[in-house]
Amino acid sequence: MLSKCLFDDYEWMRENSQPLYSTTLSSQCTLESLRLWFVRDLSLMMEWGKCLPIMDRLLLNDKLALMKAFAPIFPLLQLAYYTTSPEDGGNGMVIKQEPECEPVIADRLNYPDGTYIEKVNDINNTEEMYTILIEGCFKLMRRLQIKQHHIVLYKMLLLHNPDAEGLSSTGKKTIEAERLRLLSQLFLWISNERGKASQSLFSNLLMMTATLNKVASFVRRVFDINHIFNRTNDLIDQLIIVGL
């Protein structure tokens, strides 16, 4: 059973959320830095999710089931979509911003504080994970010229997962209906905007879900191993570590 404090204990959320980052010189992301950014993004995910109207119609356990299923994916999507190079900021600072629609040759993903992940790194069991994320998500989204309104609807689509473990039968029906509505809305929006290219964009987005799920399985493995030696009871332990 997940802790109910994720939804109704604001003091716990405050203590387990990360403070604002400060930009530093570019450096490779360590496992500790990766945990800090995951906790920060998971805090954002929780606050964003609680604002969605459908949450008022779900049981607490159903809300937690959705959040736990989405938890390994949300930080990955945030990083892959909003990453930018120091040159994009104009002042040497790495900032999150909507990506420009131009060819991408970068083989690293940058966090706003200057840390970055790349295919070849010093963190055990992450090279394949980072490679799939860069090649299968980051470069794909840039090539397809995904805009922010697309990614917001896509996040909502991923959050409304009727196969999330722990959903009640009533919650499952509610989520299935909402997911169908979001699918239609996303396709309609893309169709109106992209015309003939909409089918390719829509299908690529749906196929990217499988890629994100594969990367998420690596995330669980990395944090599972780290959890053995570093039990922190943070949002990673609450939402991602299997068996809590």
Side-chain angles (χ1 to χ4, degrees), residues 56-69:
D56 294 333
R57 295 152 48 195
L58 296 175
L59 299 173
L60 176 60
N61 284 346
D62 289 337
K63 298 176 187 178
L64 292 172
L66 291 179
M67 290 296 177
K68 185 174 182 181

Side-chain angles (χ1 to χ4, degrees), residues 66 175 210-211 216 231:
L66 291 179
I175 294 302
T211 304
R231 294 176 179 267

Side-chain angles (χ1 to χ4, degrees), residues 18-27 33 36-37 40 92-95 111-115:
Q18 296 303 310
L20 292 175
Y21 58 83
S22 57
T23 303
T24 60
L25 294 176
S26 180
S27 61
S33 297
L36 291 176
W37 277 107
R40 181 181 182 277
M93 296 175 62
V94 180
I95 57 174
Y111 277 114
D113 64 347
T115 57

Side-chain angles (χ1 to χ4, degrees), residues 54 80 98 117 134 141 177 223 242:
I54 195 173
E98 187 169 349
I117 66 171
I134 292 170
M141 287 191 288
F223 287 135
V242 178

Side-chain angles (χ1 to χ4, degrees), residues 199-224:
Q199 291 186 357
S200 175
L201 173 56
F202 186 71
S203 60
N204 272 284
L205 271 178
L206 295 184
M207 288 189 291
M208 192 173 71
T209 304
T211 304
L212 285 167
N213 283 327
K214 185 174 183 179
V215 181
S217 67
F218 284 101
V219 169
R220 292 188 183 95
R221 187 186 311 168
V222 169
F223 287 135
D224 268 342

